[in-house]
């Protein structure tokens, strides 16, 4: 049974109750605050109440300890955390229920200020004190405080998964002020569950064989911490099978301060059985992962991410380019860099670079990407070189095509890339492609662009396909080289004759080289060219003629190579049936206008390809041997692309014309009936 199936049966009731509660607060705020500002208020109050519910059982003990330790030189942080059983505490005399109606603002400010610093930063990142001041001026502060004091948000009542639904709901409905971009990249819970099951399910046996095993999980774009909490839930669900439970230690980094604050709250409420005093919130860093990796010296057993789709990385460009040029493959961005308009493939490289070494257990990862990283960029481009690096170094285990319309703000196709530096032997040098686009259930109520959901049954089906690693209609297995190709440069010979006529002379006069001549030189050239009108000459005649022209008219002077080229451009005319133009060595001169490029499958000889696919149509073609790959030195640039449609496309025969005609007649009859009703 997957952890996705172990959600409490009361979740739907909890979701409904919390949704009603959110809307009650929204109604109270309506009129005094803009709709887009509701989340800026409701979200930090939600976090505050959740922290408060956890601290409630030890509130009196904390106050008594503070009074008892008042005059003693003792580190209260350590003592009070031991009292609460969590890595945070609150030393205030107040709670949301006891703030009072006359000094509500001052008392609430005192309440916030007396949280331990690791919890206080949550409200600082929301600029909560300014929000409190605005609510006080609007006369709403006491009412909202009373609303939240009346709801129980303790994790035992509202589990992390339900709470994540609340965060998602708040950000989706009121997110413009909380974090303008949050909804664009928020990972739906069903996608989170699937990614975690794919990531951790193969290692369940590892936990079973190694009681008390400690593993790390990292999310470089952690958002509210959904992947991390779900991963910890997965491991927690295995506790009944072990005498000594396994441990998963979370790490993350988030760019947006408000979203980071939500993740901090989630981690403050988490404890490790093997290390209950550990403050997991310290593992969640703030800042841009690409330009300022806050976990630069660390590597992880599990990595998971849903980076922004199609977002530029211009703000990180200087730092990324510097790391690429100075560190190369010793840094995170060894291959060429992708185009500046989309940074998702930088996160793909970053994830692989953060894997733990094989000697220390190795690393596995899952990353959610749009379709473009599969095929964007031709051979030699940054995108292709990144794919090449990942495939040739055998990091790619599987790529899973997900259903469309499963994200909140986009209906595009999305994919899970499953990555590893410790592939089992039967997967080595193989890549599994899974078409899971039909594994979904329709949602009763659409949420933005999200019209489909990957339910527990569908998650089980997809995980089983991945685990089975068998070729089926929806699961195909390839040697990685099948995605590669060589882009060769195919040349054709120049066939050209020189037609000396007035039209050619006029074209010559438009050339830049002609404009550099003196009037006397121009007149001299006209004198030696005009008598030749009507002649057709071979391509090689031009250089001989131009070289001897000064002997015909001394005013011409020394003839530059640029003029000879201009002369050929003006009088030369391509002739498909004409003789091939040869250079001084007797080799054919290539015709730039006929140059073509061919993508040859990596497993096929380029000369065999030329003979089979090109020469039957262009017998005079040849391969440019100088057009070679920088990495392996062989002819042709190596490229990689993964085209799902090529492997899973099913031909659908067109409908019978009689059926189409019958449908059209039926529609016409319906239209007539409607028109008759209108005109009656």
């Amino acid at each position: 049974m997957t952890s996705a199936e172990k959600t409490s049966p009361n979740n739907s009731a909890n979701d409904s109750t919390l949704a009603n509660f959110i809307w009650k607060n929204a109604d109270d705020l309506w009129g005094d605050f803009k709709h887009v500002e509701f989340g800026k208020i409701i979200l930090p109050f939600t976090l505050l109440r959740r922290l408060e519910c956890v601290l409630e059982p030890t509130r009196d003990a904390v106050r008594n300890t503070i009074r008892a330790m008042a005059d003693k030189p003792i580190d209260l942080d350590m003592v009070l955390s031991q009292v609460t059983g969590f890595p945070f505490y609150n030393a205030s005399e107040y709670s949301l229920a006891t703030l009072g109606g006359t000094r509500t603002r001052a008392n609430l400010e005192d309440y916030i200020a007396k949280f331990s610093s690791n919890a206080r930063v949550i409200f600082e990142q929301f600029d909560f004190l300014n929000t409190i001041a605005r609510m006080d001026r609007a006369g709403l502060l006491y009412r909202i405080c009373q609303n939240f004091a009346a709801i129980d948000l303790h994790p035992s009542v509202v589990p992390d998964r339900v709470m994540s639904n609340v965060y998602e709901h708040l950000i989706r409905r009121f997110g413009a002020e909380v974090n303008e971009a949050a909804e664009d990249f928020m990972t739906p819970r069903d996608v989170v569950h699937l990614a975690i099951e794919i990531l951790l399910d193969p290692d369940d046996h590892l936990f079973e064989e190694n009681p008390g095993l400690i593993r790390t999980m990292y999310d470089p774009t952690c958002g509210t911490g959904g992947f991390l909490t779900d991963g910890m839930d997965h491991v927690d669900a295995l506790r009944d099978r072990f005498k000594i439970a396994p441990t998963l230690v979370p790490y993350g980094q988030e760019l947006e301060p408000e979203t980071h604050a939500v993740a901090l709250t989630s981690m403050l409420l988490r404890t490790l059985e093997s290390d209950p005093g550990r403050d997991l919130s310290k593992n969640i860093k703030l800042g841009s992962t690409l330009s300022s990796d806050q976990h630069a010296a660390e590597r992880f057993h599990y990595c998971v991410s849903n980076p922004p789709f199609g977002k530029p990385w211009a703000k990180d460009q200087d730092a990324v380019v510097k790391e690429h040029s100075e560190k190369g493959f010793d840094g995170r961005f060894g291959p060429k860099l992708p185009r500046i308009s989309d940074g998702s493939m930088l996160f793909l490289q970053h994830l692989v670079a953060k894997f733990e070494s094989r000697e220390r257990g190795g690393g596995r990862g899952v990353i959610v990407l749009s379709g473009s990283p599969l095929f964007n960029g031709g051979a030699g481009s940054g995108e292709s070189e990144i794919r090449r690096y990942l495939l040739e170094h055998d990091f790619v285990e599987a790529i899973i095509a997900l259903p469309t319309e499963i994200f909140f703000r986009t209906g595009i196709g999305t994919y899970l890339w499953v990555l590893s530096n410790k592939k089992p032997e039967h997967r080595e040098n193989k890549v599994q492609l899974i078409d899971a686009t039909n594994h979904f259930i329709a949602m009763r109520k659409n949420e933005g662009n999200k019209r489909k959901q990957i339910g527990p049954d569908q998650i089980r089906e997809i995980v089983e396909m991945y685990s089975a690693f068998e070729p089926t209609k929806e699961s195909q297995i390839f040697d990685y080289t099948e995605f590669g190709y060589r882009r060769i440069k195919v040349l054709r010979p120049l066939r050209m004759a020189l037609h000396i006529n007035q039209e050619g002379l006029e074209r010559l006069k438009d050339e830049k080289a002609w404009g550099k001549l003196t009037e006397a030189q121009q007149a001299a050239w006209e004198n030696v060219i005009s008598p030749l009108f009507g002649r057709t000459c071979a391509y090689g005649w031009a250089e001989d003629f131009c070289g001897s022209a000064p002997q015909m008219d001394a005013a011409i002077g020394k003839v530059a190579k640029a003029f000879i080229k201009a002369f050929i451009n003006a009088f030369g005319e391509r002739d498909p049936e004409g003789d091939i133009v040869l250079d001084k060595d007797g080799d054919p001169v290539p015709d730039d206008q006929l140059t073509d490029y061919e993508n040859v499958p990596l497993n096929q000889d380029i000369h065999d390809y030329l003979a089979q696919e090109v020469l039957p149509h262009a017998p005079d073609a040849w391969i440019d041997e100088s057009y070679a790959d920088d990495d392996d030195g062989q002819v042709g640039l190596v490229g990689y692309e993964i085209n799902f449609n090529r492997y899973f496309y099913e031909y659908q025969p067109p409908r019978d014309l009689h059926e189409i005609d019958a449908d059209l007649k039926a529609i016409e009859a319906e239209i007539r009936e409607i028109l008759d009703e209108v005109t009656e």
Side-chain angles (χ1 to χ4, degrees):
M1 178 180 292
T2 67
S3 62
E5 299 172 80
K6 299 169 187 172
T7 306
S8 167
N10 295 321
N11 278 0
S12 59
N14 285 335
D15 285 346
S16 177
T17 300
L18 288 170
N20 291 336
F21 173 74
I22 289 169
W23 281 110
K24 173 180 172 19
N25 284 280
D27 288 341
D28 288 342
L29 296 170
W30 196 269
D32 293 287
F33 291 88
K34 297 178 182 178
H35 175 271
V36 293
E37 296 177 306
F38 291 176
K40 189 87 169 182
I41 299 168
I42 297 174
L43 189 51
F45 267 105
T46 301
L47 301 178
L48 175 58
R49 178 55 180 162
R50 192 159 173 82
L51 296 176
E52 181 176 88
C53 288
V54 168
L55 294 177
E56 183 63 34
T58 59
R59 180 180 298 279
D60 291 339
V62 167
R63 292 170 179 169
N64 292 336
T65 302
I66 292 172
R67 285 191 286 268
M69 300 289 182
D71 299 322
K72 297 179 181 180
I74 295 177
D75 183 357
L76 277 178
D77 277 358
M78 182 177 298
V79 174
L80 295 181
S81 292
Q82 290 177 350
V83 173
T84 64
F86 290 90
F88 71 101
Y89 62 87
N90 187 284
S92 175
E93 294 290 328
Y94 299 108
S95 68
L96 285 173
T98 63
L99 293 172
T102 56
R103 288 178 47 83
T104 308
R105 174 182 172 183
N107 294 343
L108 181 55
E109 289 174 348
D110 176 81
Y111 184 25
I112 298 296
K114 290 183 178 176
F115 269 107
S116 53
S117 60
N118 55 357
R120 191 167 59 247
V121 68
I122 294 168
F123 305 100
E124 292 171 353
Q125 290 183 351
F126 274 102
D127 193 20
F128 194 44
L129 293 185
N130 282 332
T131 300
I132 291 172
R134 289 188 61 195
M135 294 176 67
D136 186 47
R137 289 193 296 270
L140 293 171
L141 185 59
Y142 180 70
R143 185 192 310 174
I144 298 299
C145 287
Q146 291 300 298
N147 287 350
F148 276 91
I151 188 169
D152 190 351
L153 296 180
H154 193 284
S156 63
V157 176
V158 185
D160 273 338
R161 285 184 173 173
V162 177
M163 204 67 227
S164 293
N165 292 339
V166 174
Y167 297 151
E168 290 178 0
H169 183 76
L170 285 168
I171 293 172
R172 286 201 311 274
R173 300 308 299 264
F174 313 121
E177 182 66 21
V178 174
N179 178 353
E180 291 181 358
E183 187 180 349
D184 289 343
F185 317 123
M186 187 163 39
T187 315
R189 300 305 299 173
D190 51 337
V191 178
V192 170
H193 300 338
L194 173 61
I196 292 300
E197 292 300 320
I198 291 288
L199 183 64
L200 297 181
D201 184 78
D203 282 355
D204 281 358
H205 71 283
L206 186 67
F207 290 115
E208 188 170 0
E209 295 169 359
N210 299 272
L213 185 66
I214 298 175
R215 283 291 183 262
T216 55
M217 175 179 281
Y218 168 65
D219 183 350
T221 56
C222 69
T224 61
F227 281 127
L228 299 176
T229 56
D230 206 85
M232 297 178 76
D233 286 343
H234 177 102
V235 173
D236 287 344
L238 303 175
R239 290 181 180 276
D240 294 341
R241 293 161 51 181
F242 310 104
K243 292 181 180 180
I244 304 176
T247 298
L248 192 66
V249 184
Y251 293 80
Q253 186 164 337
E254 170 56 28
L255 176 64
E256 301 293 339
E258 294 87 353
T259 317
H260 176 250
V262 177
L264 289 182
T265 305
S266 296
M267 291 301 116
L268 281 175
L269 299 176
R270 287 278 186 167
T271 58
L272 301 178
E273 186 174 345
S274 59
D275 188 6
R278 184 170 182 175
D279 182 0
L280 297 178
S281 72
K282 291 182 178 180
N283 295 350
I284 310 301
K285 306 298 184 179
L286 178 66
S288 172
T289 297
L290 296 181
S291 57
S292 180
D293 180 8
Q294 299 292 303
H295 298 284
E298 299 175 81
R299 299 293 180 267
F300 307 96
H301 298 104
Y302 303 108
C303 298
V304 61
S305 177
N306 174 27
F309 297 162
K311 292 296 179 181
W313 49 281
K315 292 182 179 179
D316 300 301
Q317 184 175 9
D318 290 345
V320 170
V321 170
K322 182 179 180 181
E323 181 174 342
H324 169 70
S325 59
E326 293 183 356
K327 294 185 177 181
F329 287 95
D330 291 330
R332 296 172 293 166
F333 312 117
K336 290 182 180 178
L337 299 176
R339 66 197 69 186
I340 197 73
S341 60
D342 186 358
S344 58
M345 294 192 80
L346 292 177
F347 285 101
L348 182 58
Q349 295 178 82
H350 171 82
L351 211 69
V352 170
K354 303 302 285 188
F355 285 167
E356 185 58 271
S357 66
R358 291 180 63 90
E359 295 74 23
R360 296 173 61 87
R364 299 184 68 246
V366 173
I367 185 169
V368 186
L369 296 171
S370 66
S372 60
L374 294 169
F375 51 79
N376 264 8
S381 69
E383 290 83 358
S384 180
E385 285 297 293
I386 293 169
R387 287 190 292 270
R388 178 181 186 176
Y389 173 75
L390 296 174
L391 289 165
E392 292 187 352
H393 287 78
D394 206 19
F395 286 121
V396 184
E397 277 196 3
I399 302 175
I400 304 170
L402 302 180
T404 57
E405 301 179 319
I406 58 171
F407 277 78
F408 300 114
R409 287 283 288 271
T410 179
I412 64 172
T414 50
Y415 300 80
L416 294 184
W417 288 56
V418 186
L419 308 159
S420 175
N421 68 355
K422 57 167 189 176
K423 280 188 177 183
E425 186 176 352
H426 68 284
R427 283 186 180 269
E428 289 180 355
N429 295 314
K430 303 292 183 183
V431 177
Q432 182 181 17
L433 300 186
I434 297 176
D435 179 13
T437 54
N438 293 318
H439 291 256
F440 67 89
I441 52 178
M443 295 179 63
R444 294 180 181 178
K445 182 180 180 181
N446 297 340
E447 298 184 41
N449 287 89
K450 186 171 176 62
R451 297 176 173 85
K452 300 173 183 176
Q453 186 173 9
I454 307 174
D457 291 341
Q458 288 74 43
I459 289 177
R460 187 187 310 109
E461 293 164 359
I462 296 169
V463 172
E464 287 177 354
M465 276 195 290
Y466 166 71
S467 300
F469 193 62
E470 295 175 351
T472 66
K473 181 180 178 181
E474 294 181 317
S475 169
Q476 298 192 34
I477 299 166
F478 301 90
D479 187 282
Y480 80 90
T481 58
E482 294 186 52
F483 304 120
Y485 62 91
R486 284 192 182 274
R487 183 172 176 81
I488 61 172
K489 188 176 183 180
V490 179
L491 304 178
R492 299 276 304 281
L494 177 65
R495 298 174 185 270
M496 176 178 282
L498 300 175
H499 297 268
I500 313 302
N501 51 39
Q502 184 64 45
E503 291 80 5
L505 180 59
E506 296 304 318
R507 288 193 294 269
L508 179 60
K509 291 180 180 180
D510 291 333
E511 292 281 345
K512 187 176 181 180
W514 180 272
K516 291 183 178 181
L517 301 178
T518 64
E519 291 185 5
Q521 288 175 314
Q522 292 175 352
W525 273 110
E526 287 195 60
N527 289 336
V528 299
I529 292 174
S530 298
L532 304 177
F533 284 170
R535 287 184 57 180
T536 298
C537 305
Y539 178 90
W541 171 85
E543 189 167 355
D544 293 337
F545 171 72
C546 291
S548 61
Q551 299 173 13
M552 301 178 216
D553 192 325
I556 290 176
K558 185 178 180 180
V559 181
K561 289 184 178 180
F563 184 86
I564 298 174
K565 183 177 180 181
F567 187 93
I568 294 172
N569 288 340
F571 294 105
E573 295 183 15
R574 284 172 169 77
D575 181 1
E577 304 301 324
D579 294 333
I580 294 175
V581 176
L582 303 177
D583 62 19
K584 293 180 179 179
D585 297 325
D587 297 321
V589 173
D591 186 341
D592 292 341
Q593 293 186 11
L594 297 179
T595 297
D596 198 5
Y597 295 87
E598 295 283 340
N599 291 342
V600 183
L602 205 57
N603 296 325
Q604 184 173 358
D605 181 82
I606 58 173
H607 296 95
D608 290 344
Y609 179 91
L610 184 77
Q612 296 167 15
E613 304 294 336
V614 178
L615 295 184
H617 310 287
D620 55 4
W622 75 95
I623 297 173
D624 183 353
E625 302 283 339
S626 68
Y627 189 69
D629 187 79
D630 290 337
D631 190 45
D632 64 17
Q634 296 184 39
V635 177
L637 302 186
V638 173
Y640 283 89
E641 66 176 20
I642 303 170
N643 189 334
F644 257 77
N645 290 336
R646 179 187 305 164
Y647 307 115
F648 293 101
Y649 173 76
E650 289 187 21
Y651 173 73
Q652 299 292 335
R655 295 173 60 201
D656 185 83
L657 290 176
H658 296 294
E659 292 181 13
I660 297 174
D661 188 55
D663 287 345
L664 289 174
K665 289 180 178 178
I667 293 171
E668 289 174 355
E670 291 177 8
I671 294 173
R672 280 196 298 270
E673 290 179 6
I674 294 172
L675 290 174
D676 289 342
E677 292 176 3
V678 172
T679 55
E680 285 180 359

